[in-house]
Amino acid sequence: LNDCLVFLEECVKNKVVIVPGVFFDINPRGLKNVYKSSCISNIRFSYGPPMQNLIFGVEQIGKMVAYWKLNQESMEEYKSRQSIFDV
C-alpha cells in the first residue's frame, strides 16, 4: 500500500474509490514515468457523498489497512498476483 496506484487497486477491491495523487501531477504530454511522480504517495478523498457513504468508506479503508498490516508482502509478491487493471 506504499503508492497511490496500489492503494487505489486495493480500495476498489473493497468497494471504495479514491483519487491517486499522480492524477493531479502536471504531466501534459505524458513525458515522465508515473512511478517517478512526486505525487506517487498521495491520495485524495471526496467529502461530497452522503455521510453514510463516507463512514462506509473510512471503515472499509480501516479494515483494508489492518489486513495489510497483518499480511504484508513484498512488491514483487504483489506484482506476481493478477491486477484488477490487467486485461
Side-chain angles (χ1 to χ4, degrees):
L1 298 179
N2 61 350
D3 76 46
C4 62
L5 299 174
V6 172
F7 196 83
L8 168 63
E9 187 170 346
E10 291 302 311
C11 281
V12 169
K13 291 177 186 175
N14 287 279
K15 300 179 182 176
V16 176
V17 177
I18 56 99
V19 180
V22 294
F23 289 6
F24 294 93
D25 195 1
I26 299 173
N27 188 19
R29 288 183 271 155
L31 298 176
K32 68 180 175 181
N33 184 325
V34 70
Y35 289 101
K36 294 181 181 178
S37 169
S38 61
C39 300
I40 193 70
S41 61
N42 299 328
I43 60 171
R44 290 191 180 191
F45 297 97
S46 171
Y47 298 102
M51 183 57 76
Q52 67 186 30
N53 293 11
L54 297 174
I55 292 169
F56 174 80
V58 170
E59 288 172 349
Q60 291 298 99
I61 290 173
K63 291 175 187 176
M64 180 184 72
V65 170
Y67 171 83
W68 278 94
K69 281 184 177 181
L70 294 174
N71 300 287
Q72 294 181 19
E73 60 185 34
S74 71
M75 188 56 103
E76 291 76 29
E77 292 171 322
Y78 182 82
K79 286 180 179 178
S80 70
R81 293 189 289 124
Q82 184 162 352
S83 168
I84 64 168
F85 298 113
D86 293 340
V87 179

